Amino acid sequence: MSAIYTPPSIRRFTPNFMCFSTWVDHMPFGYDIVAAVKPKLVVELGTQGGLSFFTFCQSIKENEIDGVCYAVDTWEGEEHTGKYDEEVFNSVNDHARKEYAGCSYLMRMLFEEARPHFSDESIELLHIDGLHTYDAVKEDFETWYPKVKPGGVILFHDIYARMMDFGAWKFWEELSQQYSTFEFKHGFGLGVLQKPLADGSKPQNEEQLLKILFAGNDQDHADLRAFYIHAAKYLELGRKVARQEKMKQKRLEQQKQQQKKQNQ
Ligand SMILES: C[S@@+](CC[C@H](N)C(=O)[O-])C[C@H]1O[C@@H](n2cnc3c(N)ncnc32)[C@H](O)[C@@H]1O
């Protein structure tokens, strides 16, 4: 990977929010793409427990970007996630209020109900992560595309998920024939698409990450993919060590209590 690209996630990213999510392997990239795009407006379609959403929010805050993040979800679940508990929304709401008041907004409604609230060509980073059937992903893309600013970036999760009736992979294959795209294969796949300028031309990107994504050579791309696989592994090992440390402390505490009882 180009020697001049030093991802912000390497320098200062320690996730301050965790929950179970298959998005976990994309956290370092999610942090870095926000730092690269410096979006005034981020919209996420499909938030559930908030892992991807709070990665974007954390990057907005720590990289001092003058932007806001909107999360759109019914917080009820659908065919693929299954119906889930009210606890999921409450946890996202609590964390958003505590950590990101003023730069994060939750829109508890259907995607189509949220859409009229956004002006055309206003969204600089859109994350499409709702229902993953072919038809649903196609509809989310086609109906929200006009809301994305020319030069803006759209992320798609699960473009390598082939279970059940998941069809993001199929729609992604079609998109990558027509647009400037990049794909990560790990973590069920993450697609990155840059909207062309109004005259149909490719944006001239200044930011190093965007240059690598949309104008890099095969070696740059292979290096970038390898980097983000390792970055995710590094965070995973960090969590494992923290869990082991916590268990060790707990055991020591229990031993101390036992010793105290025996001495009485
Ligand atoms: C795959 S999950 C999102 C995962 C999340 N981005 C993460 O980081 O873990 C999909 C979510 O999209 C929501 N959803 C799907 N279709 C929707 C629609 N048409 N309107 C509103 N919410 C929708 C579901 O309620 C579910 O919570």
Side-chain angles (χ1 to χ4, degrees):
M1 190 161 64
S2 169
I4 25 176
Y5 180 55
T6 52
S9 62
I10 264 205
R11 284 176 270 143
R12 55 170 168 268
F13 181 46
T14 307
N16 70 9
F17 180 87
M18 277 308 298
C19 66
F20 175 79
S21 166
T22 57
W23 215 85
V24 68
D25 290 335
H26 300 298
M27 291 172 89
F29 177 75
Y31 188 88
D32 290 337
I33 192 72
V34 168
V37 174
K38 298 183 190 64
K40 287 207 175 315
L41 180 57
V42 179
V43 176
E44 173 167 270
L45 306 178
T47 297
Q48 198 173 357
L51 197 84
S52 48
F53 184 64
F54 289 129
T55 303
F56 303 144
C57 292
Q58 189 174 344
S59 185
I60 288 272
K61 191 171 170 181
E62 291 180 356
N63 294 299
E64 297 177 357
I65 295 163
D66 181 19
V68 289
C69 300
Y70 283 80
V72 188
D73 201 311
T74 55
W75 277 282
E76 286 178 357
E78 19 75 357
E79 292 99 286
H80 293 157
T81 58
K83 289 271 171 211
Y84 51 77
D85 222 76
E86 194 60 12
E87 199 34 55
V88 176
F89 174 74
N90 292 339
S91 141
V92 174
N93 198 26
D94 287 350
H95 191 70
R97 281 168 183 237
K98 208 166 99 200
E99 296 291 332
Y100 305 111
C103 70
S104 75
Y105 299 95
L106 309 185
M107 301 177 81
R108 193 170 194 183
M109 58 185 76
L110 289 167
F111 299 159
E112 65 187 70
E113 291 168 334
R115 211 165 48 239
H117 293 277
F118 297 94
S119 309
D120 282 353
E121 303 193 345
S122 62
I123 301 171
E124 285 168 293
L125 183 67
L126 176 70
H127 179 214
I128 297 182
D129 197 15
L131 181 62
H132 289 96
T133 59
Y134 174 89
D135 289 342
V137 180
K138 186 174 187 328
E139 184 181 332
D140 294 343
F141 174 77
E142 288 176 350
T143 53
W144 284 81
Y145 187 78
K147 302 290 176 188
V148 177
K149 195 171 172 175
V153 170
I154 308 177
L155 305 178
F156 297 76
H157 189 219
D158 281 329
I159 57 158
Y160 270 82
R162 299 274 184 143
M163 58 276 207
M164 300 190 282
D165 60 345
F166 277 53
W169 62 271
K170 191 164 184 279
F171 185 57
W172 179 253
E173 274 179 8
E174 293 170 16
L175 286 180
S176 46
Q177 308 288 318
Q178 300 167 51
Y179 293 93
S180 194
T181 59
F182 179 86
E183 58 187 44
F184 291 103
K185 299 176 188 190
H186 71 292
F188 297 97
L190 188 76
V192 191
L193 181 152
Q194 188 169 37
K195 184 171 177 172
L197 299 179
D199 63 4
S201 65
K202 272 177 90 163
Q204 290 298 312
N205 293 307
E206 297 295 326
E207 276 292 328
Q208 198 61 23
L209 177 58
L210 299 177
K211 277 188 190 169
I212 298 173
L213 287 168
F214 302 115
N217 60 33
D218 288 351
Q219 189 57 53
D220 292 333
H221 287 168
D223 289 350
L224 195 76
R225 289 193 181 97
F227 171 77
Y228 281 109
I229 288 171
H230 286 294
K233 270 267 167 266
Y234 174 78
L235 288 184
E236 188 190 332
L237 286 173
R239 290 192 296 276
K240 199 171 164 188
V241 169
R243 275 197 305 274
Q244 284 170 348
E245 202 50 45
K246 212 169 154 189
M247 278 162 64
K248 197 171 139 193
Q249 290 302 332
K250 205 172 158 189
R251 269 201 308 275
L252 283 174
E253 200 50 49
Q254 283 168 343
Q255 280 168 2
K256 258 195 211 163
Q257 294 297 335
Q258 268 178 353
Q259 195 65 48
K260 216 169 153 188
K261 271 189 194 161
Q262 281 167 5
N263 292 343
Q264 279 171 356

